């Protein structure tokens, strides 16, 4: 197992204070021994590498990041419109970015659009960006017992 460390901007900001978004945290990811596929749902290309986020706050992953042989990454399931769902996009009142660099990534990859007009953009992410976004999304999930 290969372990990599990389520094990326903090994936969440306490109390939505943009000034807190410039801190760096250590993100660990592992090129996993398995291919990261889910039987009956997704089977990655044999040349794709599953990058497991070791800082995922959950015991399971909903979103998984895969690096392709050309060095770009894609996320399964694809995170269409999740920037809107989880508050990363412009605030309609003051046109500001609520989460600084993380919001910029959401805009760059089209996650602030209701529909994806060009899937090649969201399917060709920088692997570090994809891990940063999926880490943030995992931190937004709330589980309730019903």
């Amino acid at each position: 197992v290969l372990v990599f460390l990389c520094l990326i901007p903090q994936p969440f900001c306490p109390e939505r204070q943009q000034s807190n978004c410039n801190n760096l945290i250590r993100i660990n990811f592992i090129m996993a021994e398995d291919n990261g596929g889910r039987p009956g749902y997704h089977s990655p290309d044999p040349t794709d590498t599953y990058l497991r986020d070791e800082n995922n706050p959950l015991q399971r992953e909903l979103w998984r990041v895969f690096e392709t042989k050309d060095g770009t990454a894609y996320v399964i399931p694809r995170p269409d419109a999740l920037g809107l769902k989880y508050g990363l996009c412009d605030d309609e009142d003051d046109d500001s970015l609520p989460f600084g660099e993380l919001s910029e990534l959401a805009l760059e990859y089209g996650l602030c659009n209701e529909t994806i007009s060009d899937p090649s953009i969201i399917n060709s992410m920088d692997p570090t960006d994809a891990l940063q976004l999926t880490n943030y999304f995992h931190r937004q999930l709330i589980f309730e017992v019903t």
Side-chain angles (χ1 to χ4, degrees), residues 31-37 42-50 66-70 74:
M31 296 170 69
E33 291 179 9
D34 65 20
N35 71 1
H42 172 248
S43 180
D45 189 276
T47 62
D48 294 350
T49 303
Y50 166 42
F66 297 87
E67 185 173 11
T68 63
K69 64 183 174 186
D70 69 358
Y74 62 93

Side-chain angles (χ1 to χ4, degrees), residues 7-97:
L7 294 175
I8 59 175
Q10 183 173 329
F12 63 95
C13 302
E15 301 175 16
R16 296 179 146 237
Q17 294 177 359
Q18 198 167 341
S19 62
N20 292 337
C21 293
N22 297 324
N23 297 331
L24 294 178
I25 62 169
R26 180 175 289 215
I27 294 292
N28 300 323
F29 64 93
I30 290 179
M31 296 170 69
E33 291 179 9
D34 65 20
N35 71 1
R38 294 179 172 131
Y41 179 70
H42 172 248
S43 180
D45 189 276
T47 62
D48 294 350
T49 303
Y50 166 42
L51 303 177
R52 189 177 59 193
D53 179 358
E54 288 297 299
N55 290 1
N56 180 357
L58 307 176
Q59 293 180 1
R60 295 179 178 85
E61 289 177 299
L62 175 57
W63 296 279
R64 292 185 176 185
V65 176
F66 297 87
E67 185 173 11
T68 63
K69 64 183 174 186
D70 69 358
T72 63
Y74 62 93
V75 176
I76 296 293
R78 207 169 73 188
D80 296 11
L82 287 186
L84 294 170
K85 179 170 181 62
Y86 293 120
L88 290 175
C89 303
D90 291 345
D91 185 336
E92 292 178 13
D93 296 332
D94 65 8
D95 204 30
S96 66
L97 295 175

Side-chain angles (χ1 to χ4, degrees), residues 104-121:
E104 290 175 16
L105 293 177
L107 287 168
E108 178 182 342
Y109 294 114
L111 304 182
C112 292
N113 302 328
E114 288 286 338
T115 58
I116 301 297
S117 59
D118 184 0
S120 68
I121 295 170

